[in-house]
Amino acid sequence: MGKGFFINKAVAVVGIIIGVGALATIIALSVVYAQEKAKNNEQTEGTTTKPPTTTSTTTSVTPPSNNPWDKYRLPTNLMPETYNVTLWPRLQPDDTGLYIFTGYSTVEFTCVEETNLILIHSNKLSYTQTDNKKLAELTAVGDNVKAPSITKSWLQNETQYLVLELDAKLIKNEKYQLHTDFRGELADDLAGLYRSEYMEDGVKKVVATTQMQPTDARKAFPCFDEPAMKAEFFIKLIHDHGTVALSNGKEIETKNVTYEGKDVQETEFEKTEKMSTYLLAFIVCDYDHIDNMTDNVEIRIFARKSAIAAGQGAYALEKTGPILKFFEEYYDSTYPLPKSDQIALPDFNAGAMENWGLITYRETALLYDEEFSSNSNKERIATIIAHELAHMWFGNLVTLRWWNDLWLNEGFASYVEYLGADHAEPEWNVTDLMVLNDVHRVFAIDALASSHPLSSKEEDIQKPAQISELFDAISYSKGASVLRMLSDFLTEPVFQKGLQSYLKTFEFGNANYTDLWDHLQMAVDETSTEIPDTVHNIMNTWVLQMGFPVVTITTTTGAVSQKHFLLDPHSDVTTQSPFNYQWIVPIQWMKTGKHHPLTWLKNESDIFADMKTNDNEWVLANLDVKGYYRVNYDTGNWDKLLKALETNHEVIPVINRAQLIDDSFNLARAEIIDTVMALRTTTYLNNERDYMPWQSALNNLDYFFLMFDRSEVLGPMQDYLETKVTDLFNYYKEMTVNWTSITTGHMDQYNQVVAVSLACRIGQKDCLDLAKEQYAQWMESGDNKIHPNLRSTIYCHAIAEGDANEWDFAWEQFNQTNAIEADKLRYAMSCSKQPWLLNRYLEYTLQSDKIRKQDATSTIVYIASNVIGQSLAWDFIRARWAHIFNEYGGGSFSFSNLINGVTERFSTDFELQQLNQFKADHSDVGFGSGTLALDQSIERTMANKNWIDNNKDIVLKWFQDELKKSGAE
């Protein structure tokens, strides 16, 4: 699944600068599952008359037992081979106002071990009873075997099974077929087979679409819904005339048929490859498309007719072919399908989903319009397309055996998405941005005592909510970071060689992460690559224990040591480590600008004589942040590095300038170095023109905003930052001829946004005037001349400086524009300083006709990121938690984003007490995938309080002293 955790870079920059700490660690543009309006509880056989009717009866859920149907994992005695599934989603409501779908399915399976019980996943489906009043019909394949009779059938809600008891055992190695007729609600809950709506030319349009990952294929049809239960699928979709039906396979034919007395169409698709249920997709829509051919693969981009007519699919179509070819070469494997469809959906759970042959996207993740899209929108499209296409092999062709290895699937795609995007847009240098977007971002979470290892024990991941909780920054960004480190120390050619062997060996099957280590080790052996231990032993230290080390280099002696890095050094680490929190660490380093050979730290400490320096030398380690660790130095070396930044900052590579800032601020938070040392890394910034160091500084100073924007430190801090950003602001003002144009370089465009956003944030008059004037011109003329790169920034600060008129204008525009522009406005409306407007906006988030369900939690987090809105948002979710949780569903991984985002600023005893009370008050309702996030928020709040107690006076004095030095006080 694509990174649902995307935040538009322009929005993120603005958010960071206005104190949006949540944005730095948010995993996803929050999305939510919903509960169906009609709850289909346990269904058992009952009285019926011919013709069969669909019935549902409610029974109580019994406590778990040792019975197979009370266990969350399927037994391994049955293995599916093929499914024949026909579905008919109704795009108009029935007489009761309910949208439904009906279907029938035949699954053919092999009996691997004798059994008189069939368990097959089913969730929120009602079944048509057979003549003998059972919920399914069982037949044998072949004339020599007779199928047992079904003696009892029921739905087990808690574990989501259709349970069938038989009067005799199924025979080992024989094949059987299970047939079911069923119906479900085509709800707007973003899960399984669901409904999405949009307006076009004043007419409401309905799309039937799917999101199966991780455990919602069972909500569309009964199936063996585990990733290792691969099968081939024959799909037919029934749909109205004038609509388009899509699925994983290529269309064979569409014909006119009559169903239930209605004249409709039936589209049949080619048999799929052997694949997992979570990769299935079924869509019925009134869309248009554009297409081309790359070699023998048909590439199609589907979207609303208005979006296709506006050319918004052209960029995705242009880049998909080259990225697909890149991965064919990277994997040394031909794309195995005849088509690659990509579709933009108005309502969608994550950023995108890698359904094999039919990739689904949020509209903002696929559609590009030069008039409305910023360069960060464009980069997002390229990287998400690359992420999803990477999955076509790594995840789809070879699939994880169980969800505890999700990190390998998503971490790998999150790493190579940068390689694919770099191939598509080589001038962007997008691979560098992985350090900011993934490495630094996940450090913030993995430095908590409540973090977790990349790989979980299989027995610990059983329930759907536990599976959903794995879709976090650890799986995506830490997974990507450690794989990038692995590729670096093996070298990319050796990494590719092992990867290609792995894919070839397990194609159309399942594997786990140790299988990849085996094939990488074979590549190491075949190429005589020197590493200090086996791939298994090195990587297990990074995969099987949480966290990461801080490597300390003492340049007076050459001593190097490692220690588990914790943001709060007083936190209690209760999670045991099989390696005692030690890692096998690859160190790429330089001395005074000269690169040295790769060095390995294999123990807690060692002596490396080459790292000893004289008076004029300095050491810089973890070059380009290829290693997943932080670096600390003796005070003398820190002083030399800071002097190098002041005198000629370009002697230090740009990524490492960003690293020095990020490492120092986090080392200071961990009480390893003085906070003043960290602040000193910002003094050279008035000479810095590169984006990455500036963004790193803002990411870290954002923590200061969060901790101090309610205190007397805020004023001096803003005044200090004005002395740093003014040169940058004027630099871009001159370069763009008083903001009448945009810079050309990709990174330069990002840094221009940094300059404008920070200048406005600190109240610089020229910047605020610019924002107010450009927004007012748009309000007066109706002609929006604000460049898309700057819109989030300008809109935010104009609304912050304005009143209801500015907010209401934004709301009016939000309701009549496209999804690309609407995202910018949705964020900007959270910037208001008027509490009553923010409270009204909060109410809108739970009205799906105003704010789409996919956007509800991110909008609440945006409001909480505003210092004025933070307490309002906290009161809002506390008062409505039961409603939010029950309406939006506990299985969604957006709940972790909501809890983390709303509590990011917490730093007082009172707020800690409120958090603990919130946990106690709602323990009966639960927190779903936000359970771990709540514990992390409590831990973070305690750490924040301690940090403020220890640093507030020091920080205030430092800013005041720096202002005196500059004469700005």
Side-chain angles (χ1 to χ4, degrees):
M1 191 184 298
K3 295 181 188 174
F5 49 76
F6 167 82
I7 297 281
N8 178 304
K9 281 195 179 63
V11 168
V13 169
V14 181
I16 283 165
I17 293 165
I18 68 164
V20 186
L23 299 187
T25 54
I26 285 181
I27 301 168
L29 255 187
S30 356
V31 241
V32 284
Y33 292 119
Q35 301 290 342
E36 292 182 279
K37 290 188 287 288
K39 306 293 185 190
N40 292 319
N41 292 320
E42 289 193 20
Q43 182 183 11
T44 59
E45 58 265 27
T47 59
T48 184
T49 57
K50 293 183 180 181
T53 58
T54 303
T55 62
S56 177
T57 60
T58 302
T59 64
S60 62
V61 178
T62 56
S65 69
N66 262 337
N67 293 319
W69 50 80
D70 287 323
K71 301 180 188 302
Y72 286 89
R73 292 295 303 277
L74 284 168
T76 57
N77 48 23
L78 306 178
M79 183 59 63
E81 304 287 344
T82 62
Y83 291 82
N84 281 268
V85 180
T86 299
L87 291 168
W88 184 7
R90 313 302 207 278
L91 302 190
Q92 294 83 31
D94 64 15
D95 293 340
T96 67
L98 199 66
Y99 288 85
I100 67 163
F101 64 88
T102 56
Y104 52 91
S105 169
T106 299
V107 55
E108 183 171 309
F109 59 86
T110 298
C111 177
V112 180
E113 298 173 8
E114 288 188 350
T115 179
N116 61 356
L117 181 73
I118 297 175
L119 298 180
I120 187 167
H121 282 115
S122 174
N123 186 27
K124 299 182 182 177
L125 298 175
S126 296
Y127 290 82
T128 301
Q129 294 182 359
T130 62
D131 289 345
N132 61 351
K133 301 179 183 179
K134 300 300 182 288
L135 303 183
E137 181 180 351
L138 181 67
T139 59
V141 177
D143 299 329
N144 299 327
V145 178
K146 182 183 177 182
S149 296
I150 299 172
T151 59
K152 188 177 180 183
S153 61
W154 73 93
L155 293 171
Q156 192 73 7
N157 272 6
E158 178 67 21
T159 46
Q160 302 179 350
Y161 287 133
L162 167 59
V163 186
L164 306 171
E165 289 186 341
L166 310 177
D167 68 352
K169 289 186 176 182
L170 300 173
I171 300 172
K172 184 175 181 179
N173 296 328
E174 293 295 337
K175 296 182 185 298
Y176 299 86
Q177 291 184 345
L178 185 70
H179 178 80
T180 52
D181 289 319
F182 52 88
R183 63 175 280 164
E185 184 184 352
L186 190 67
D188 60 349
D189 57 0
L190 309 176
L193 179 56
Y194 71 92
R195 181 179 87 254
S196 176
E197 298 176 357
Y198 64 98
M199 299 298 293
E200 193 165 70
D201 299 328
V203 177
K204 184 174 83 168
K205 299 292 182 75
V206 176
V207 176
T209 185
T210 52
Q211 171 58 35
M212 307 301 199
Q213 191 185 42
T215 59
D216 282 313
R218 65 192 69 173
K219 193 169 167 287
F221 68 102
C223 55
F224 298 95
D225 197 13
E226 293 189 0
M229 296 284 193
K230 286 191 169 185
E232 297 171 332
F233 295 84
F234 296 84
I235 304 298
K236 292 181 182 178
L237 294 177
I238 311 300
H239 55 103
D240 293 335
H241 289 276
T243 58
V244 177
L246 301 169
S247 190
N248 305 81
K250 196 169 184 177
E251 177 186 334
I252 297 175
E253 66 168 344
T254 296
K255 60 184 180 183
N256 297 330
V257 295
T258 300
Y259 271 92
E260 299 179 8
K262 294 185 179 180
D263 181 19
V264 291
Q265 293 187 304
E266 178 187 84
T267 297
E268 181 180 0
F269 301 92
E270 291 180 353
K271 179 192 70 175
T272 70
E273 297 288 355
K274 189 176 180 182
M275 60 184 283
S276 302
T277 50
Y278 81 85
L279 296 168
L280 288 166
F282 319 126
I283 297 174
V284 174
C285 61
D286 177 23
Y287 272 13
D288 204 348
H289 77 278
I290 53 176
D291 61 81
N292 65 22
M293 295 290 293
T294 294
D295 294 338
N296 296 319
V297 179
E298 182 182 25
I299 297 171
R300 300 188 295 182
I301 308 296
F302 286 84
R304 307 186 200 192
K305 290 177 179 177
S306 56
I308 293 296
Q312 293 175 6
Y315 180 73
L317 185 65
E318 175 191 343
K319 296 303 176 185
T320 296
I323 294 173
L324 198 64
K325 286 294 296 178
F326 168 79
F327 282 122
E328 285 189 323
E329 295 173 6
Y330 185 79
Y331 295 127
D332 190 27
S333 175
T334 303
Y335 178 70
L337 306 182
K339 74 173 178 81
S340 177
D341 288 342
Q342 299 180 94
I343 187 167
L345 297 167
D347 300 283
F348 188 66
N349 174 305
M353 177 62 209
E354 65 269 19
N355 314 302
W356 216 2
L358 177 52
I359 305 172
T360 44
Y361 295 80
R362 281 194 177 202
E363 290 181 315
T364 51
L366 187 66
L367 304 179
Y368 175 81
D369 189 319
E370 192 169 334
E371 182 181 348
F372 298 99
S373 302
S374 65
N375 67 319
S376 64
N377 294 139
K378 197 172 190 177
E379 182 193 310
R380 184 193 184 198
I381 291 166
T383 53
I384 290 188
I385 288 175
H387 182 105
E388 304 313 321
L389 292 179
H391 274 310
M392 298 301 106
W393 291 265
F394 206 98
N396 297 9
L397 183 66
V398 179
T399 309
L400 46 85
R401 285 201 183 98
W402 184 242
W403 297 108
N404 61 311
D405 280 339
L406 174 76
W407 75 270
L408 184 60
N409 194 15
E410 294 300 348
F412 183 85
S414 297
Y415 165 48
V416 299
E417 73 179 48
Y418 289 96
L419 307 184
D422 185 60
H423 177 79
E425 297 285 3
E427 295 181 357
W428 287 357
N429 294 324
V430 71
T431 54
D432 292 353
L433 293 177
M434 185 176 170
V435 173
L436 291 176
N437 299 346
D438 288 280
V439 183
H440 285 174
R441 187 173 68 87
V442 75
F443 272 166
I445 297 168
D446 207 21
L448 299 176
S450 52
S451 185
H452 63 87
L454 275 172
S455 187
S456 306
K457 293 180 180 178
E458 186 171 344
E459 59 269 24
D460 292 340
I461 308 299
Q462 300 284 311
K463 301 179 182 181
Q466 292 171 330
I467 296 168
S468 291
E469 201 167 18
L470 293 176
F471 288 81
D472 66 357
I474 299 296
S475 293
Y476 282 79
S477 294
K478 181 177 181 177
S481 301
V482 300
L483 289 169
R484 173 176 174 260
M485 176 176 68
L486 172 60
S487 174
D488 182 63
F489 71 70
L490 291 182
T491 72
E492 187 69 16
V494 175
F495 183 76
Q496 274 186 259
K497 183 179 178 68
L499 175 64
Q500 291 166 1
S501 171
Y502 165 85
L503 290 173
K504 184 65 176 174
T505 300
F506 295 100
E507 62 183 0
F508 302 110
N510 297 82
N512 59 37
Y513 78 92
T514 58
D515 295 315
L516 179 58
W517 295 170
D518 288 339
H519 285 263
L520 290 171
Q521 186 62 50
M522 287 189 284
V524 166
D525 295 340
E526 290 169 11
T527 57
S528 300
T529 301
E530 292 187 11
I531 52 177
D533 208 325
T534 65
V535 172
H536 280 267
N537 290 342
I538 294 171
M539 293 309 297
N540 282 347
T541 67
W542 300 96
V543 170
L544 299 181
Q545 60 183 347
M546 70 178 189
F548 57 91
V550 52
V551 172
T552 298
I553 300 174
T554 304
T555 60
T556 55
T557 63
V560 180
S561 62
Q562 62 166 295
K563 183 181 180 182
H564 182 197
F565 179 80
L566 292 166
L567 269 179
D568 179 4
H570 309 291
S571 57
D572 182 19
V573 178
T574 58
T575 304
Q576 296 296 311
S577 162
F579 305 101
N580 198 30
Y581 289 108
Q582 289 184 25
W583 291 261
I584 301 177
V585 186
I587 304 175
Q588 301 275 14
W589 64 287
M590 67 164 60
K591 182 186 285 186
T592 323
K594 181 184 177 182
H595 288 248
H596 283 250
L598 174 65
T599 300
W600 288 89
L601 179 62
K602 295 177 284 185
N603 301 305
E604 184 176 359
S605 61
D606 208 336
I607 300 291
F608 300 105
D610 287 348
M611 292 188 183
K612 187 176 179 179
T613 61
N614 60 34
D615 291 343
N616 300 316
E617 294 176 322
W618 46 261
V619 165
L620 179 69
N622 199 10
L623 299 183
D624 290 338
V625 195
K626 290 295 180 69
Y628 186 70
Y629 54 90
R630 295 198 181 279
V631 185
N632 182 34
Y633 306 96
D634 58 280
T635 302
N637 197 68
W638 271 115
D639 287 337
K640 293 174 186 177
L641 290 170
L642 292 174
K643 184 177 180 181
L645 287 176
E646 289 285 357
T647 56
N648 180 15
H649 60 272
E650 291 184 348
V651 300
I652 296 175
V654 63
I655 296 177
N656 288 99
R657 300 203 296 274
Q659 172 217 13
L660 286 174
I661 294 169
D662 194 70
D663 277 357
S664 64
F665 272 89
N666 284 278
L667 291 168
R669 283 181 63 184
E671 301 178 14
I672 295 172
I673 65 172
D674 292 337
T675 299
V676 167
M677 180 73 78
L679 287 167
R680 285 173 60 196
T681 64
T682 68
T683 59
Y684 90 101
L685 283 173
N686 47 303
N687 298 317
E688 181 65 83
R689 296 294 178 265
D690 279 303
Y691 165 67
M692 290 187 66
W694 265 107
Q695 188 62 62
S696 180
L698 295 178
N699 289 345
N700 286 283
L701 286 168
D702 176 55
Y703 181 71
F704 284 61
F705 274 108
L706 285 169
M707 296 301 100
F708 297 132
D709 61 7
R710 298 176 286 180
S711 79
E712 68 274 23
V713 178
L714 181 63
M717 179 168 67
Q718 289 177 309
D719 292 342
Y720 169 75
L721 289 174
E722 185 172 5
T723 69
K724 299 302 160 188
V725 77
T726 296
D727 286 346
L728 189 70
F729 181 83
N730 290 333
Y731 170 77
Y732 284 111
K733 181 179 180 180
E734 180 179 345
M735 181 183 289
T736 60
V737 192
N738 199 25
W739 313 109
T740 58
S741 64
I742 291 292
T743 55
T744 54
H746 190 65
M747 300 287 192
D748 251 350
Q749 290 183 38
Y750 283 156
N751 217 25
Q752 182 182 353
V753 176
V754 166
V756 175
S757 300
L758 181 54
C760 281
R761 173 65 184 97
I762 61 176
Q764 189 185 71
K765 185 177 183 303
D766 285 351
C767 187
L768 292 178
D769 287 345
L770 173 71
K772 290 186 290 186
E773 288 168 8
Q774 290 196 354
Y775 194 83
Q777 184 182 44
W778 180 28
M779 289 179 66
E780 292 165 9
S781 69
D783 182 15
N784 189 350
K785 295 183 178 179
I786 305 168
H787 192 279
N789 285 2
L790 295 176
R791 286 185 181 181
S792 292
T793 307
I794 297 298
Y795 296 171
C796 174
H797 291 289
I799 289 171
E801 293 297 306
D803 54 25
N805 290 329
E806 284 74 16
W807 200 98
D808 288 342
F809 176 77
W811 180 251
E812 179 184 356
Q813 298 300 313
F814 172 80
N815 283 290
Q816 62 188 33
T817 190
N818 59 46
I820 304 164
E821 178 75 353
D823 251 17
K824 297 176 175 62
L825 289 162
R826 183 170 61 86
Y827 165 71
M829 288 184 287
S830 72
C831 299
S832 174
K833 296 177 182 177
Q834 304 294 323
W836 72 272
L837 286 172
L838 295 175
N839 269 322
R840 185 176 73 178
Y841 198 20
L842 283 165
E843 293 294 338
Y844 287 178
T845 63
L846 298 187
Q847 300 174 43
S848 59
D849 60 333
K850 289 184 167 64
I851 300 294
R852 291 186 179 274
K853 285 189 173 184
Q854 67 176 13
D855 297 323
T857 54
S858 64
T859 306
I860 296 170
V861 169
Y862 286 156
I863 295 167
S865 301
N866 178 342
V867 64
I868 294 170
Q870 189 273 321
S871 60
L872 305 178
W874 175 231
D875 290 344
F876 180 79
I877 71 161
R878 282 190 298 165
R880 291 165 174 79
W881 182 256
H883 170 77
I884 293 170
F885 189 82
N886 291 322
E887 175 65 19
Y888 285 67
S892 167
F893 35 85
S894 67
F895 281 96
S896 61
N897 309 328
L898 181 62
I899 292 170
N900 273 323
V902 172
T903 63
E904 194 84 3
R905 192 180 268 103
F906 281 13
S907 58
T908 66
D909 283 327
F910 181 63
E911 287 164 335
L912 180 61
Q913 180 184 347
Q914 286 186 318
L915 261 177
N916 284 311
Q917 190 65 48
F918 175 68
K919 183 176 181 179
D921 288 347
H922 298 288
S923 59
D924 56 332
V925 176
F927 305 96
S929 59
T931 303
L932 178 59
L934 183 57
D935 291 336
Q936 290 172 338
S937 296
I938 291 170
E939 180 186 350
R940 186 175 56 240
T941 301
M942 291 189 289
N944 289 345
K945 179 187 178 301
N946 291 336
W947 188 85
I948 289 176
D949 290 344
N950 294 331
N951 289 280
K952 181 179 176 181
D953 293 341
I954 296 169
V955 169
L956 177 60
K957 183 178 186 303
W958 189 85
F959 282 131
Q960 290 171 336
D961 290 346
E962 288 299 306
L963 288 170
K964 290 176 182 176
K965 290 179 189 177
S966 65
E969 188 175 58

